[in-house]
């Protein structure tokens, strides 16, 4: 009688978002560590979700990625891998998913965030949630984390391809001069004093893309700064747009290299708010598509998981 081998569990993690408009407030409360949110801010954020589909698309995208990745990892037919989705700030919370994956009695667990660049405030926070779940569930299953894949050749190739394709939306005679504005989510400026690698890693992704773009003009800016009193990383996309307009540009292509899938920061912050600001400055603004659950992303993640596994063996 053949014994079924214990699976390797791949825990895909994402920030998450509210699954309906009613849950915007409890979601924000979780993001803010239990601190209450002003009714005005709750309504403002709720409106952002209302105009972008009524809920966050993150969970559906992550589940689609998990299904496709599991299929690809098990392509030899031995069903060795099982992929799960856990969210940092909404259901299914990382702790809920961790409890579920333990039921399969995995041989070990690989934690993988749907974000290519490492920061102690982002990827580090996911790892902390996993460690809390492990402690609470008294789990001794070995676990390892993929912490960064910000310069993975397949990631860079996919971004370059999306940039080239989206440049075709501009008039043929200006395409070579259209500035590509790379963006990443801003973080509090204190990360610099903490020697956090995030600023270096997002710049690293941008630089690797630039090498392949050749002479295309490029800029880099941070987007979606938080509403706290402290200073956040800049320059901001808003001030950068202003500079581009002042320099006489009439077109701009936004490439959000700090994000993998669509969520409110792309669907609202860029597609609605930034686009409107660009119009007031006489700029045609287009955005590259996110990788979401596309075949290139599945290729990237499969390569990332296999490289990680091979590093564990050696």
């Amino acid at each position: 009688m053949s014994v079924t081998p214990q699976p390797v569990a791949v825990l895909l993690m994402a920030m998450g978002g509210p699954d309906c408009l009613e849950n915007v407030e409890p979601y924000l409360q979780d993001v803010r560590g239990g601190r209450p949110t002003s009714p005005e801010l709750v309504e403002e954020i709720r409106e952002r979700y209302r105009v972008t589909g009524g809920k966050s698309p993150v969970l559906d995208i992550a589940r689609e990625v998990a299904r496709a990745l599991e299929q690809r990892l098990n392509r030899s037919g031995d069903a060795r891998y099982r992929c799960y989705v856990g969210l940092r700030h909404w259901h299914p919370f990382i702790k809920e998913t961790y409890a579920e994956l333990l039921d399969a009695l995995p041989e070990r667990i690989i934690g993988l965030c749907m974000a290519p660049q490492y920061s102690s405030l982002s990827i580090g926070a996911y790892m902390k949630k996993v460690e809390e779940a492990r402690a609470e569930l008294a789990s001794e299953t070995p676990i390892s984390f993929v912490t960064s894949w910000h310069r993975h050749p397949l990631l860079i190739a996919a971004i370059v391809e999306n940039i080239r394709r989206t440049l075709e939306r501009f008039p043929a005679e200006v395409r070579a001069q259209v500035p590509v504005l790379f963006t990443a989510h801003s973080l509090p400026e204190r990360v610099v004093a903490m020697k956090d690698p995030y600023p270096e890693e997002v710049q690293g992704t941008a630089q690797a893309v630039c090498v392949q773009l050749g002479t295309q003009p490029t800029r880099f800016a941070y987007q979606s700064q938080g509403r706290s009193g402290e200073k956040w990383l800049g320059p901001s996309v808003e001030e950068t747009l202003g500079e581009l307009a002042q320099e006489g540009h009439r077109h701009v292509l936004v490439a959000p290299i700090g994000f993998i899938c669509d969520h409110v920061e792309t669907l609202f912050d860029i597609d609605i708010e930034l686009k409107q600001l660009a119009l007031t400055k006489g700029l045609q603004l287009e955005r590259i598509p996110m990788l979401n659950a596309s075949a290139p992303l599945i290729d990237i993640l499969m390569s990332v998981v296999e490289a990680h596994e091979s590093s564990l063996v050696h």
Side-chain angles (χ1 to χ4, degrees), residues 202-275:
V202 288
Q203 293 279 2
T205 305
Q207 285 157 7
V209 172
C210 283
V211 167
Q212 297 202 23
L213 285 181
T215 57
Q216 196 78 31
T218 60
R219 293 290 174 89
F220 178 85
Y222 287 101
Q223 66 168 87
S224 311
Q225 279 79 357
R227 301 289 184 91
S228 63
E230 61 186 320
K231 208 169 174 211
W232 286 63
L233 291 172
S236 71
V237 285
E238 293 82 3
E239 59 189 283
T240 306
L241 270 193
E243 287 169 11
L244 289 171
Q246 274 179 340
E247 289 165 19
H249 290 284
R250 289 292 164 259
H251 311 86
V252 60
L253 175 57
V254 178
I257 53 167
F259 303 118
I260 287 302
C261 66
D262 275 315
H263 57 323
V264 77
E265 272 94 352
T266 56
L267 301 172
F268 184 86
D269 293 7
I270 296 175
D271 293 357
I272 295 176
E273 213 168 45
L274 203 62
K275 210 161 202 171

Side-chain angles (χ1 to χ4, degrees), residues 128-236:
K128 188 165 177 277
K129 289 280 186 193
V130 171
E131 293 307 334
E132 286 167 6
R134 283 171 70 75
E136 205 171 307
L137 298 161
S139 165
E140 291 180 5
T141 307
I143 185 163
S144 58
F145 295 94
V146 173
T147 51
S148 170
W149 37 287
H150 70 292
R151 277 182 178 265
H152 193 288
L154 293 179
L155 171 68
I156 304 308
I159 295 170
V160 169
E161 172 64 19
N162 281 343
I163 288 172
R164 289 195 171 130
R165 212 175 271 173
T166 314
L167 278 170
E168 289 172 13
R169 291 189 201 159
F170 298 99
E173 65 277 10
V174 300
R175 275 175 212 159
Q177 288 81 47
V178 173
V180 175
L181 175 55
F182 297 115
T183 71
H185 202 299
S186 186
L187 288 178
E189 213 175 60
R190 61 188 147 91
V191 298
V192 177
M194 290 160 57
K195 302 270 192 289
D196 190 284
Y198 181 73
E200 202 177 285
E201 293 216 346
V202 288
Q203 293 279 2
T205 305
Q207 285 157 7
V209 172
C210 283
V211 167
Q212 297 202 23
L213 285 181
T215 57
Q216 196 78 31
T218 60
R219 293 290 174 89
F220 178 85
Y222 287 101
Q223 66 168 87
S224 311
Q225 279 79 357
R227 301 289 184 91
S228 63
E230 61 186 320
K231 208 169 174 211
W232 286 63
L233 291 172
S236 71

Side-chain angles (χ1 to χ4, degrees), residues 111-124:
L112 174 58
C113 291
M114 300 266 286
Q117 299 96 1
Y118 178 85
S119 165
S120 59
L121 300 189
S122 57
I123 310 297

Side-chain angles (χ1 to χ4, degrees), residues 7 21 302:
L21 295 176
M302 192 177 79

